[in-house]
């Protein structure tokens, strides 16, 4: 109470009081912004909180929720007063916005768009809609999952994200991974994806799913599949997604490269004319590509557009990659109408891709609050 009298007496264990003091320092706050009366003036005041205050108070909110969970309460309170949920949500929104801004800076500086998309997809793509196991819960950061063959090379993505995680301890790994993917798509010129946040993290390797839940690039196909279309349907139908989502999500191969030491396909340190040093694969024409090597699906493999569908359809260049799971999009009777549509119209592709990406990013996720938090 002597540290910030506007709060009154803070109830709870000594550890909780110490955490609050550590988070908020000695600067007094008007508790009307956090507790009690739901007045319009309080709402307006809350929106004017500076970012430093907002970030710290968002962390306070998360700690309060943890204490409520331990105590068996459903509504966070302090001093016997209910916390103003609208104000707290705005605090969390600002934290997510700040986190997204830091991610954008990292991605632009390191040209790591593709690995961020792959990391998020491989975290979410373990979901089984029948058992409700797996999904976008951040379990990919644990062993044994991160060591699965399909996840080769993704430790680098986690190392990059650790730089952001250290600044935003109250953003879950599950949120951070999915936010990085959506931000990478948008920065590369792709659609704005209507994401929501507030995911609860997996807590240990016990939350990891068995190996073999992600798509393969070529035969022999896992399970009972005898062809590329059968295999894709085995994988994506298990997640609860359909043919349109399969084709739309395949279009994300418009960015990135395949490396033999990661997927077993593409190229290694040897380069194509599109992945050699000095190439400019960014859509904005700026230099930068990361390490040379690998084989890309498209010429501008750091630009998100519908060129993947055009390249696969027309087989325009032998230096560009086309796996069996790519070619089948124009061969399978159910896939082909979507693939043709996206090759003809980038707008149609972006519209369907954004919704498919959103659906994938929420598979198996549990949110606080239950409906999640959207940010502008």
């Amino acid at each position: 109470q002597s540290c910030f009298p506007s709060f009154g007496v803070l109830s709870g264990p000594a550890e909780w009081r110490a955490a609050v003091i550590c988070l908020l320092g000695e600067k007094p706050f008007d508790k009307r912004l956090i507790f009690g009366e739901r007045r319009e003036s309080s709402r307006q005041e809350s929106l004017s909180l500076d970012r430093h205050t907002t970030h710290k108070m968002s962390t306070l909110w998360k700690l309060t929720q943890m204490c409520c969970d331990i105590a068996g309460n459903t509504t966070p309170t302090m001093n016997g007063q209910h916390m103003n949920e609208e104000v707290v949500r705005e605090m969390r929104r600002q934290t997510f916005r700040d986190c997204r801004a830091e991610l954008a800076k990292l991605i632009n500086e390191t040209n790591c768009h593709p690995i961020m998309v792959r990391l998020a997809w491989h975290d979410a793509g373990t979901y089984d809609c029948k058992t409700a196991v797996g999904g976008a819960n951040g379990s990919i950061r644990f062993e044994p999952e991160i060591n699965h063959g399909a996840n080769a090379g993704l430790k680098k993505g986690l190392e990059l994200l650790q730089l952001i995680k250290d600044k935003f301890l109250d953003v879950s790994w599950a949120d951070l991974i999915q936010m990085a993917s959506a931000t990478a798509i948008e920065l590369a010129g792709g659609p704005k994806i209507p994401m929501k946040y507030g995911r609860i993290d997996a807590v240990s390797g016990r939350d990891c799913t068995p190996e073999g839940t992600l798509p393969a690039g070529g035969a022999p196909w896992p399970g009972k599949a005898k062809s590329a279309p059968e295999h894709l349907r085995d994988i994506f139908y298990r997640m609860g997604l359909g043919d349109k989502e399969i084709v739309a999500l395949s279009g994300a191969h418009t960015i990135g490269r395949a490396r033999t030491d990661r997927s077993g396909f593409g190229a290694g340190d040897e380069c194509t004319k599109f992945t050699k040093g000095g190439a400019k694969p960014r859509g904005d024409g700026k230099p930068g590509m990361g390490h040379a090597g690998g084989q890309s699906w498209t010429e501008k493999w750091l630009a998100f557009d519908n060129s993947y569908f055009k390249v696969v359809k027309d087989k325009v260049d032998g230096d560009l990659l086309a796996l069996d799971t790519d070619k089948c999009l124009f061969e399978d009777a159910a896939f082909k109408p979507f693939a043709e549509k996206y090759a003809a119209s980038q707008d149609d592709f972006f519209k369907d891709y954004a919704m498919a990406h959103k659906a994938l990013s929420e598979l198996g996720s549990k949110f606080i609050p239950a409906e999640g938090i959207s940010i502008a």
Side-chain angles (χ1 to χ4, degrees):
Q1 187 172 12
S2 62
C3 289
F4 23 80
S6 63
F7 265 28
V9 177
L10 296 172
S11 58
E15 293 84 358
W16 169 237
R17 293 198 299 272
V20 173
I21 292 170
C22 232
L23 285 165
L24 299 181
E26 298 185 2
K27 181 180 178 181
F29 292 89
D30 185 348
K31 67 180 180 180
R32 289 176 302 170
L33 294 178
I34 313 172
F35 310 114
E37 303 175 17
R38 292 174 175 267
R39 298 183 303 177
E40 184 62 25
S41 61
S42 283
R43 179 178 182 277
Q44 292 172 349
E45 288 177 273
S46 74
L47 300 181
S48 67
L49 289 172
D50 63 80
R51 290 189 173 188
H52 181 69
T53 299
T54 299
H55 177 58
K56 287 192 171 185
M57 293 175 74
S58 175
T59 303
L60 169 62
W61 164 248
K62 190 164 187 176
L63 287 170
T64 305
Q65 286 183 314
M66 291 169 61
C67 289
C68 288
D69 290 342
I70 293 170
N73 298 331
T74 56
T75 306
T77 62
M78 191 176 288
N79 291 346
Q81 300 181 64
H82 290 284
M83 297 185 76
N84 187 321
E85 293 181 9
E86 186 174 356
V87 172
V88 173
R89 287 193 188 189
E90 181 57 29
M91 295 175 196
R92 296 190 72 195
R93 287 189 192 100
Q94 189 58 56
T95 295
F96 289 131
R97 293 184 192 111
D98 292 345
C99 183
R100 184 174 61 183
E102 289 291 321
L103 280 169
K105 182 179 179 182
L106 172 72
I107 293 167
N108 263 329
E109 290 178 351
T110 61
N111 297 296
C112 64
H113 310 65
I115 199 171
M116 292 304 165
V117 175
R118 181 170 170 244
L119 179 64
W121 281 32
H122 284 211
D123 190 42
T126 59
Y127 185 64
D128 187 321
C129 65
K130 293 182 180 178
T131 63
V133 170
N137 59 12
S139 64
I140 197 169
R141 72 193 194 277
F142 294 120
E143 295 181 355
E145 188 171 338
I146 190 60
N147 294 328
H148 290 172
N151 294 332
L154 289 180
K155 286 183 180 179
K156 177 61 176 177
L158 291 173
E159 290 170 1
L160 287 169
L161 287 184
Q162 186 69 59
L163 301 172
I164 307 299
K165 180 63 175 171
D166 290 344
K167 297 180 182 180
F168 296 92
L169 298 177
D170 50 333
V171 174
S172 70
W173 270 105
D175 273 342
L176 184 62
I177 289 169
Q178 296 304 322
M179 181 183 287
S181 177
T183 302
I185 294 291
E186 293 173 23
L187 288 174
K192 185 172 181 60
I193 301 164
M195 300 287 287
K196 66 179 183 179
Y197 300 102
R199 291 171 183 79
I200 301 172
D201 268 339
V203 297
S204 74
R206 292 189 297 272
D207 296 309
C208 296
T209 59
E211 191 164 6
T213 58
L214 297 170
W221 306 108
K224 298 180 180 180
K226 297 180 180 179
S227 66
E230 284 185 34
H231 171 63
L232 288 175
R233 290 189 173 98
D234 284 349
I235 296 295
F236 285 92
Y237 285 12
R238 187 205 68 233
M239 299 181 206
L241 302 176
D243 288 351
K244 180 168 74 171
E245 288 79 15
I246 291 173
V247 181
L249 291 171
S250 295
H253 279 152
T254 194
I255 62 172
R257 299 167 284 177
R259 293 179 176 269
T260 51
D261 61 339
R262 297 182 182 180
S263 66
F265 297 93
D269 291 334
E270 63 272 22
C271 306
T272 71
K273 59 178 174 285
F274 304 118
T275 63
K276 65 182 181 180
K280 293 184 178 180
R282 290 176 59 115
D284 57 13
K286 294 180 180 178
M289 61 178 288
H291 296 293
Q295 186 178 13
S296 61
W297 282 265
T298 63
E299 178 179 348
K300 294 291 186 180
W301 50 267
L302 286 178
F304 195 96
D305 53 29
N306 69 332
S307 61
Y308 162 83
F309 294 102
K310 296 177 180 179
V311 167
V312 173
K313 178 182 179 181
D314 298 333
K315 304 176 180 63
V316 295
D317 195 305
D319 268 3
L320 296 176
L321 182 63
L323 302 173
D324 290 343
T325 46
D326 302 313
K327 299 172 187 175
C328 77
L329 301 181
F330 286 93
E331 297 167 351
D332 180 83
F335 290 159
K336 186 174 181 179
F338 297 113
E340 294 280 4
K341 176 183 177 183
Y342 302 151
S345 171
Q346 182 167 283
D347 288 343
D348 287 339
F349 169 50
F350 276 18
K351 178 182 177 181
D352 288 351
Y353 178 84
M355 298 315 298
H357 186 121
K358 173 180 171 61
L360 179 67
S361 77
E362 295 173 10
L363 294 178
S365 297
K366 295 180 176 60
F367 295 86
I368 294 179
E371 67 275 16
I373 296 176
S374 298
I375 58 176

